[in-house]
Amino acid sequence: MKRILIVGALALASAAPAFAADLPLPAAPLPRAPVAYVPAIPTFTWTGFYIGLNTGYAFGQSDWTSPVGTTGAFSVRGPMAGGTIGGNYQIGQFVVGGEADFDWQNVRGSQVGGACNLGPGVPASCASASNWVGTFRARAGFAMDRVLLYATAGGAYANIKASLNALPWASTTELGWTAGAGIEYGITDNWTAKFEYLFADFQHASCGLGNCLAVPPVSVSFNENILRAGINYKFGY
């Protein structure tokens, strides 16, 4: 019996390699599918030069002062519209640049009576106005992708006009300063829209005998608060 078991074991041992040779080979691993290329989403940049249009409304104050008295501040107001040119450079999330604009405006107001009267019982109207205004400013802001919050300040210039009653206007170009802030949004890679506030104050104009019946001439102050919206086209860089 023992001999039979030994013989059987030897037979199985000798047959095992043959059985193994008859077994199918393991399947080769399937090749991996290539990873799809997903292009990086381009980051919006504020860098570039731009031109644009703006429109809005201005309101402020004027007063006439002479050696004999003052009218006190009276309101001036009116619409405005014009064009803009500028450029930005973005460094990280910070944006610096410069901007200039020129607007037609119809900002005017008048003070009737009081210091404007020609004499006791002779009422008159002191009128101040401006037909155009321009600014040239630096801008600095913080960008959150397509949203730009900015502050701005620089110089301003405008024609300041004055007249008494229906006399011809005295008109001079006066320099001044301006400062304000705004928000701008990138609608597309090239088109942006903005809303801003500026305060502008100008040197005093003067109005003499021929326009204000004043000897010596009266000093006319003029300032305005500007609220306006605009749209710009930004060129590539």
Side-chain angles (χ1 to χ4, degrees):
M1 184 67 178
K2 186 175 182 180
R3 182 179 295 177
I4 294 172
L5 291 176
I6 293 172
V7 172
L10 291 174
L12 288 174
S14 61
F19 290 146
D22 292 336
L23 293 175
L25 296 174
L30 296 174
R32 290 187 178 180
V35 178
Y37 170 70
V38 179
I41 299 175
T43 303
F44 180 81
T45 178
W46 288 93
T47 298
F49 293 98
Y50 58 88
I51 58 173
L53 299 173
N54 68 76
T55 185
Y57 194 80
F59 60 95
Q61 293 183 329
S62 179
D63 69 66
W64 291 25
T65 303
S66 71
V68 297
T70 177
T71 62
F74 56 90
S75 295
V76 294
R77 63 189 64 206
M80 64 192 313
T84 306
I85 186 171
N88 292 316
Y89 186 73
Q90 184 167 353
I91 308 168
Q93 287 186 276
F94 294 97
V95 178
V96 294
E99 185 173 279
D101 52 61
F102 187 86
D103 284 51
W104 164 88
Q105 63 179 1
N106 186 25
V107 177
R108 61 183 61 217
S110 61
Q111 172 72 49
V112 179
C116 293
N117 288 348
L118 298 177
V122 187
S125 172
C126 299
S128 299
S130 177
N131 292 127
W132 52 260
V133 61
T135 73
F136 45 96
R137 297 169 282 109
R139 296 203 318 171
F142 183 79
M144 295 169 285
D145 192 23
R146 292 181 178 269
V147 177
L148 175 65
L149 303 175
Y150 64 88
T152 183
Y157 55 101
N159 75 321
I160 308 301
K161 305 196 305 180
S163 74
L164 186 71
N165 284 356
L167 292 174
W169 290 101
S171 179
T172 59
T173 298
E174 303 296 338
L175 296 175
W177 63 271
T178 183
I183 182 171
E184 192 165 358
Y185 178 74
I187 304 170
T188 69
D189 287 347
N190 296 103
W191 289 98
T192 69
K194 71 177 182 180
F195 180 81
E196 67 182 3
Y197 164 79
L198 298 175
F199 175 78
D201 193 16
F202 303 96
Q203 294 178 338
H204 291 196
S206 63
C207 187
L209 180 62
N211 309 98
C212 294
L213 300 182
V215 180
V218 296
S219 175
V220 180
S221 71
F222 197 94
N223 64 59
E224 55 186 289
N225 300 273
I226 299 170
L227 293 171
R228 61 187 178 188
I231 188 166
N232 295 326
Y233 181 82
K234 179 173 69 71
F235 298 93
Y237 66 97

Coordinates of all heavy atoms in Angstrom, one line a residue, residues 6 28 31 56 63 88 93 116 125 152 155 159 184 191 193 212 229:
I6 N 3.4 6.0 -2.9 CA 4.6 6.7 -3.4 C 4.6 6.8 -4.9 O 4.9 7.9 -5.4 CB 5.9 5.9 -2.9 CG1 6.0 6.0 -1.3 CG2 7.1 6.5 -3.5 CD1 7.0 5.2 -0.7
A28 N -2.9 40.3 -20.8 CA -2.1 41.5 -20.7 C -2.9 42.7 -20.2 O -4.1 42.8 -20.6 CB -1.4 41.8 -22.0
P31 N -4.3 49.0 -22.2 CA -3.6 50.3 -22.2 C -4.5 51.4 -21.6 O -5.8 51.3 -21.8 CB -3.3 50.6 -23.6 CG -4.3 49.7 -24.4 CD -4.5 48.5 -23.5
G56 N -23.5 111.6 -17.3 CA -23.9 111.7 -15.9 C -24.5 113.1 -15.5 O -25.1 113.7 -16.4
D63 N -20.5 131.0 -5.5 CA -20.8 132.3 -4.8 C -20.0 133.4 -5.4 O -18.9 133.2 -5.9 CB -20.6 132.1 -3.3 CG -19.2 132.0 -2.9 OD1 -18.4 133.0 -3.1 OD2 -18.8 130.9 -2.4
N88 N -4.1 101.2 -18.1 CA -3.9 100.5 -16.8 C -2.7 99.6 -16.9 O -2.4 99.1 -18.0 CB -5.1 99.7 -16.4 CG -6.3 100.6 -16.0 OD1 -6.1 101.6 -15.3 ND2 -7.4 100.2 -16.5
Q93 N -2.9 91.8 -7.8 CA -4.2 92.3 -7.7 C -4.3 93.8 -7.7 O -5.4 94.4 -7.6 CB -4.9 91.7 -6.5 CG -5.3 90.2 -6.6 CD -6.1 89.8 -5.4 OE1 -5.5 89.4 -4.4 NE2 -7.4 89.8 -5.5
C116 N -27.1 140.5 -4.8 CA -27.1 140.7 -6.2 C -27.9 141.9 -6.6 O -27.8 142.3 -7.8 CB -27.8 139.4 -6.9 SG -26.7 138.0 -6.7
S125 N -30.2 139.3 -10.6 CA -29.9 137.9 -10.6 C -28.5 137.6 -10.9 O -28.0 138.0 -12.0 CB -30.8 137.1 -11.5 OG -30.4 135.7 -11.6
T152 N -9.0 107.8 -7.3 CA -8.5 108.6 -8.4 C -8.3 110.1 -7.9 O -9.1 110.6 -7.1 CB -9.3 108.5 -9.6 OG1 -8.7 109.3 -10.7 CG2 -10.7 109.0 -9.4
G155 N -5.7 116.7 -11.6 CA -6.1 118.1 -12.0 C -7.4 118.2 -12.8 O -7.9 117.2 -13.3
N159 N -14.5 125.9 -18.0 CA -14.9 127.3 -18.3 C -15.9 127.7 -17.3 O -16.9 127.1 -17.1 CB -15.4 127.5 -19.7 CG -16.8 127.0 -19.9 OD1 -17.2 126.0 -19.4 ND2 -17.6 127.8 -20.7
E184 N -15.4 99.5 -11.5 CA -15.4 99.1 -12.9 C -15.5 97.6 -13.1 O -14.9 96.9 -12.3 CB -14.1 99.6 -13.6 CG -14.2 99.6 -15.1 CD -13.1 100.4 -15.8 OE1 -12.3 101.1 -15.1 OE2 -13.0 100.4 -17.0
W191 N -14.4 94.9 -23.3 CA -15.4 95.9 -22.9 C -15.5 96.0 -21.4 O -15.7 94.9 -20.7 CB -16.7 95.6 -23.5 CG -16.8 95.9 -25.0 CD1 -16.7 94.9 -26.0 CD2 -16.9 97.1 -25.7 NE1 -16.7 95.5 -27.2 CE2 -16.9 96.9 -27.1 CE3 -17.1 98.4 -25.2 CZ2 -17.0 97.9 -28.0 CZ3 -17.2 99.5 -26.2 CH2 -17.2 99.2 -27.5
A193 N -17.4 98.4 -18.0 CA -18.4 99.5 -17.6 C -18.0 100.0 -16.2 O -17.5 99.2 -15.4 CB -19.8 98.9 -17.6
C212 N -21.0 142.1 -15.1 CA -21.6 142.0 -13.8 C -21.8 143.3 -13.1 O -22.2 143.4 -11.9 CB -20.8 141.1 -12.8 SG -20.7 139.4 -13.4
A229 N -21.6 107.5 -15.3 CA -21.4 106.1 -15.7 C -20.7 106.1 -17.1 O -20.8 107.1 -17.8 CB -22.7 105.4 -15.8

